Amino acid sequence: MAASTAHLSLLSKSSPSSPSLPHVLFTLPKTSSVPANSRFRCSAGQTGFFTRLGRLLKEKAKSDVDKIFTGFSKTRDNLAVIDELLLYWNLADTDKVLDELEEALLVSDFGPRITIKIVESLREDILAGKLKSGNEIKDALKKSVLEFLTKSANKTELQLGYRKPSVIMIVGVNGGGKTTSLGKLAYRLKKEGAKILMAAGDTFRAAASDQLEIWAERTGCEIVVAEGDKAKASSVLSQAVKRGKEQGFDVVLCDTSGRLHTNYSLMEELIACKKAVGKVVSGAPNEILLVLDGTTGLNMLPQAREFNEVVGITGLVLTKLDGSARGGCVVRFILV
């Protein structure tokens, strides 16, 4: 080979520190600034290289595992702030504690109006002598939040009705956790003894039906998927409800594609899905559950408003609370 051409060769001789690893030799072309015998050896043959690499990989793996477990503790840590505030509470520190409690609720996306109502209600009960310990204040806080959540709803359980099959539609924006929520709901209803049929109505996202098939296998449920690549979601849901009606299923769980609440055409398609289901079973769907990503904060308010106006939301599913999400915005939506 000409001296001006770069080439690569493997040396058969092995170093004492790594007998099984050949050296890699790069020979550079001759230039005026680089001597003809200039050679660079790859550091892979040096002693301790793989030892250091193994140590780095081990540390990286340990760091990833730690991140997983610390992620689940973030929500608990957010709630622990309230526990710390009320642990050593005494009457003399009432104003200070309530101010810090107000800040904690605002950070949790409860909003100023609801936060002031909760804090002032607690203040009145404390000054009236109704609440005399930190535990009592905490219990009153829980009760107050629960009252907000149940104020506009007489029933908090799923309303499946008496006519079979009951139909539940899952809707929401992209990436909110609709398919996973549907799988968990199927598991819960299956444990309660219901015969479940899943409908893979997400015909847009790649591998959405595959994901739902895995959930069907895990929960022991049957599933209806699109027959072709260009099948309409309304057609898939309609076929699923027909099968559920003919084969005596108790509940049909309908997955739908994620869609932005600002996209008019996609929201119109959701109306078509609802009408298609209603033609098969009168009064269906029994429940339309909106899946809200807990990490979106106040942005979930416009989502909820738009979906409610288009299809009429009957319930909320709050997801991804294993991270830094607070989800207090759900209380605001209930009161809007």
Side-chain angles (χ1 to χ4, degrees), residues 30-202:
K30 284 184 177 182
T31 62
S32 58
S33 59
V34 180
N37 60 351
S38 295
R39 290 179 177 180
F40 294 88
R41 291 185 181 275
C42 176
S43 62
Q46 296 179 3
T47 304
F49 173 80
F50 287 104
T51 302
R52 294 195 299 272
L53 179 61
R55 185 166 59 249
L56 289 173
L57 292 175
K58 185 177 179 181
E59 292 175 355
K60 178 67 169 59
K62 184 177 183 299
S63 174
D64 291 342
V65 173
D66 291 340
K67 286 179 181 178
I68 293 174
F69 286 100
T70 54
F72 287 109
S73 64
K74 287 181 180 178
T75 299
R76 292 194 297 270
D77 291 342
N78 289 333
L79 297 175
V81 172
I82 296 176
D83 290 332
E84 294 175 2
L85 288 175
L86 302 177
L87 182 61
Y88 301 107
W89 174 85
N90 59 70
L91 189 58
D93 296 333
T94 297
D95 291 334
K96 178 182 177 182
V97 170
L98 289 179
D99 287 343
E100 294 185 16
L101 178 60
E102 180 178 332
E103 181 180 348
L105 293 176
L106 288 172
V107 169
S108 299
D109 296 331
F110 276 80
R113 186 164 62 94
I114 295 175
T115 298
I116 291 173
K117 283 185 178 180
I118 293 174
V119 172
E120 290 305 316
S121 176
L122 292 176
R123 191 190 307 275
E124 291 175 5
D125 290 343
I126 292 172
L127 296 178
K130 297 179 181 179
L131 304 176
K132 300 179 181 179
S133 67
N135 288 332
E136 289 181 357
I137 296 174
K138 184 178 178 180
D139 291 339
L141 175 61
K142 290 180 180 178
K143 184 180 178 181
S144 181
V145 173
L146 187 60
E147 285 178 354
F148 279 120
L149 289 173
T150 57
K151 178 181 286 187
S152 59
N154 296 326
K155 298 179 181 179
T156 56
E157 296 295 324
L158 290 173
Q159 303 301 303
L160 301 181
Y162 300 99
R163 186 177 299 168
K164 293 184 180 180
S166 300
V167 181
I168 300 176
M169 277 183 62
I170 307 293
V171 301
V173 300
N174 310 67
K178 294 182 299 300
T179 304
T180 302
S181 298
L182 187 145
K184 292 180 178 181
L185 182 58
Y187 176 74
R188 171 187 165 183
L189 295 174
K190 183 79 173 181
K191 284 186 67 176
E192 294 175 357
K195 186 179 179 182
I196 308 297
L197 178 64
M198 295 182 178
D202 187 349

